[in-house]
Amino acid sequence: MGRQGKRAGTGGGKAREAYFDNVKYLTIVLVACGHAWEPLTYGSRAVTAVYLTVYAFHMPAFALVSGYFSRSFDMAPGRLKRLVSGVVVPYVVFEVAYTLFYRWRQDDPEYPISLLDPWYLMWFLAALFIWRLSTPLWLQLRHPVLVALAIGTAVSMWPGAGGDLALQRVLQFLPFFVVGLVLRPEHFSRLRTWRTRLSLLPVGLAAVVAAYWVAPWFDAGWFYHRGSVVGRGVPAWAGLWATPALFVLALVLTACFLAWVPGRRLWFTALGTGTIYAYLLHGFVIKASRFGAWYDHPWLHTPMGELAITATAVTGITLLCTQPVRRVFRYVVEPPIDWAFRRPEPKARPEQSAEEREKVTSGGG
């Protein structure tokens, strides 16, 4: 397995692969930077180009990695319990928390709490719940990626597709999750050879150049997949080519990103285990910056200001991945809910055969 086979772990228990923890950390950094850059895109072509490049693949990469780590999901009681404790309960807790935060900061006490209408970041937990429950089905299909892409394409052309649980978005990002389900460790090993890395480098650079070229007129909403393509001002049939084209673009850029993620253990490797904390918590800071007009200062829209915001985003999201933060918020992000489930019944001991009983009573081995 080459470099991917290197393990990172401490003490007892099963060792973790440093590469995938690095992937998780760097992906959440891109998520935070993308959110922090958004207000800067209105006055900087360079920032817009980087923003478009990142948004073309960072959530597809998030979905793909989630799919890769969902391959073993099989509706077993233990896995269902972890799905509830790690996805459903945090979804409910943070959906309510974000709504209350909005009511407070916007002085809107009547703003409704709706568990069927994910607020801001929460759509991804809704998606992860739906995707993971459907995993056994995708693993049984002969061509799961093509089927998932067909579903995503059809939904992208259907303005009336369900709005509950952000279903439009969930189904349009579904193909990336399914790609993760069909990937195997050897795919990542091949991707991370130096020959592949060097061949993908000009592809990534070309994407940045292309993003700079289209920055003045391209609508970043194409990468959000929040609704149908009709909302982008084009006819519904445009989804037949736009959705597959964006899918291929995202996969190529995700490959570029994954190819260059280091495989050895680094200072931030352990932080990759805490990305769910950073994801759920950083939204409060991002929304506070919008509600409080933090970006109104002109200096922030200078090159030095843009670099300062980037550094702040990286530092902030890094801190949210650390152990002290995880200890404080563990009971809402990873709540212990064993009390809500039945204990597994002990397996019945098979009856001994007459021959075995004879051995026991006679002292035979």
Side-chain angles (χ1 to χ4, degrees):
M1 289 175 57
R3 293 190 177 187
Q4 185 172 333
K6 292 184 178 180
R7 300 282 178 171
T10 57
K14 186 178 179 180
R16 297 178 61 93
E17 289 192 36
Y19 172 71
F20 287 108
D21 283 337
N22 293 341
V23 168
K24 292 177 182 178
Y25 169 77
L26 294 175
T27 305
I28 198 64
V29 166
L30 291 178
V31 170
C33 287
H35 289 151
W37 290 334
E38 193 270 336
L40 304 176
T41 60
Y42 301 104
S44 171
R45 185 171 181 173
V47 173
T48 302
V50 178
Y51 177 85
L52 290 176
T53 304
V54 168
Y55 262 80
F57 77 91
H58 79 307
M59 287 313 295
F62 224 62
L64 184 149
V65 172
S66 298
Y68 182 76
F69 284 100
S70 298
R71 293 171 300 155
S72 61
F73 187 85
D74 58 2
M75 298 291 188
R79 292 192 172 96
L80 285 173
K81 184 169 71 174
R82 285 193 294 274
L83 180 64
V84 172
S85 64
V87 177
V88 177
V89 174
Y91 174 81
V92 174
V93 170
F94 279 87
E95 181 67 25
V96 173
Y98 271 115
T99 304
L100 296 178
F101 178 72
Y102 181 91
R103 289 180 176 182
W104 169 56
R105 290 306 303 264
Q106 296 296 85
D107 192 21
D108 184 5
E110 302 301 320
Y111 190 80
I113 295 175
S114 174
L115 297 181
L116 294 179
D117 185 16
W119 198 79
Y120 193 37
L121 301 169
M122 302 312 299
W123 75 270
F124 191 78
L125 287 191
L128 192 57
F129 175 73
I130 295 171
W131 294 340
R132 197 162 285 171
L133 279 181
S134 66
T135 292
L137 172 62
W138 297 113
L139 294 178
Q140 292 299 315
L141 296 179
R142 287 189 176 183
H143 306 290
V145 176
L146 291 178
V147 174
L149 182 57
I151 293 173
T153 301
V155 169
S156 74
M157 299 187 295
W158 185 9
D164 291 344
L165 293 177
L167 199 58
Q168 279 265 10
R169 210 172 193 182
V170 170
L171 295 180
Q172 290 187 63
F173 278 102
L174 172 64
F176 302 105
F177 178 83
V178 176
V179 169
L181 289 177
V182 302
L183 290 178
R184 296 294 178 265
E186 55 267 24
H187 294 125
F188 293 92
S189 297
R190 295 169 190 164
L191 187 64
R192 296 173 54 241
T193 64
W194 276 106
R195 176 177 294 180
T196 305
R197 285 176 169 178
L198 293 175
S199 66
L200 289 175
L201 185 58
V203 176
L205 294 175
V208 176
V209 172
Y212 186 84
W213 177 58
V214 305
W217 53 268
F218 186 80
D219 182 2
W222 282 100
F223 298 137
Y224 303 157
H225 298 296
R226 286 178 181 157
S228 74
V229 298
V230 176
R232 308 266 72 83
V234 299
W237 57 261
L240 284 174
W241 62 265
T243 302
L246 292 174
F247 173 74
V248 172
L249 173 64
L251 283 188
V252 171
L253 293 181
T254 298
C256 294
F257 168 70
L258 294 175
W260 281 94
V261 171
R264 63 186 182 280
R265 187 172 180 82
L266 299 170
W267 66 268
F268 57 77
T269 299
L271 300 177
T273 62
T275 53
I276 186 61
Y277 290 81
Y279 181 81
L280 292 173
L281 294 171
H282 88 283
F284 292 102
V285 180
I286 296 299
K287 281 301 181 182
S289 73
R290 308 300 197 263
F291 298 153
W294 295 1
Y295 286 81
D296 285 354
H297 198 290
W299 180 79
L300 293 177
H301 297 268
T302 66
M304 289 303 298
E306 292 160 359
L307 290 175
I309 288 176
T310 302
T312 301
V314 174
T315 302
I317 205 71
T318 299
L319 291 175
L320 291 178
C321 291
T322 58
Q323 282 294 339
V325 172
R326 294 171 65 180
R327 280 196 294 269
V328 171
F329 292 97
R330 186 176 305 277
Y331 285 96
V332 290
V333 178
E334 297 179 284
I337 61 168
D338 288 346
W339 55 269
F341 291 87
R342 296 179 180 178
R343 291 185 178 181
E345 297 182 4
K347 293 182 178 180
R349 191 174 178 182
E351 293 187 9
Q352 291 178 312
S353 65
E355 183 179 352
E356 289 172 330
R357 287 194 297 271
E358 177 64 25
K359 285 185 177 181
V360 171
T361 54
S362 64

